Amino acid sequence: MTRILVDADACPVREEIIRVAARLGCEVVLVSNGSRPIRPPEERFVRQVIVAEGADAADDWIVEQASPTDVITTADIPLAARALEKGARALSFKGHDWTAQNIGSALAGREIARHMRETELARGGPTHGPSAMALADRSRFLDALDRAIQAARRGPEKPIFRIPPGGF
């Protein structure tokens, strides 16, 4: 059975995920470290996993559980890369499909953005976070989630992304 493993602490599309899962008959696993209270709906196909506190505890749990029939939803690009390495599908909360073809440049872009933020902070300037969720983002996410679930049900995608020894 296809599962949707949700990096749930900062997930802005929980309701959308649950709606799609109900329609398509998927299990939803909301994974968090408990730092933000999450009240999952009382649906048989939804469960919550609270991991120990720690920077990557939820990510580690998700990757440990991930399989090629799963869809991982996250805003965390390194988590998406790790999910792809396990053969799972990975989606951003704004509906961006992470693939073996685009995850490397996304990781590189993340590092550039981190460096730019640090440079701005050192200069005493403001930093800019991600843009807010728009209605178009939610719509794109719903469409992408539906496609990812259908693809996960068909089986593993080739080629599977591999993180090089020593990381990026």
Side-chain angles (χ1 to χ4, degrees), residues 22-106:
R23 181 171 50 82
L24 296 178
C26 299
E27 178 184 7
V28 175
V29 184
L30 302 170
V31 185
S32 72
N33 64 13
S35 63
R36 297 179 186 172
I38 297 171
R39 295 191 64 188
E42 293 185 22
E43 299 284 354
R44 295 173 67 208
F45 63 91
V46 178
R47 71 182 169 108
Q48 183 175 17
V49 173
I50 299 176
V51 298
E53 285 194 37
D56 292 326
D59 297 359
D60 293 343
W61 190 94
I62 289 168
V63 170
E64 190 176 293
Q65 298 295 313
S67 77
T69 60
D70 294 329
V71 176
I72 312 307
T73 60
T74 184
D76 185 327
I77 297 170
L79 170 56
R82 293 172 65 196
L84 291 172
E85 185 177 69
K86 291 282 299 261
R89 298 212 163 32
L91 264 191
S92 78
F93 297 137
K94 292 187 176 185
H96 185 80
D97 212 4
W98 299 115
T99 67
Q101 291 75 32
N102 67 20
I103 197 70
S105 60

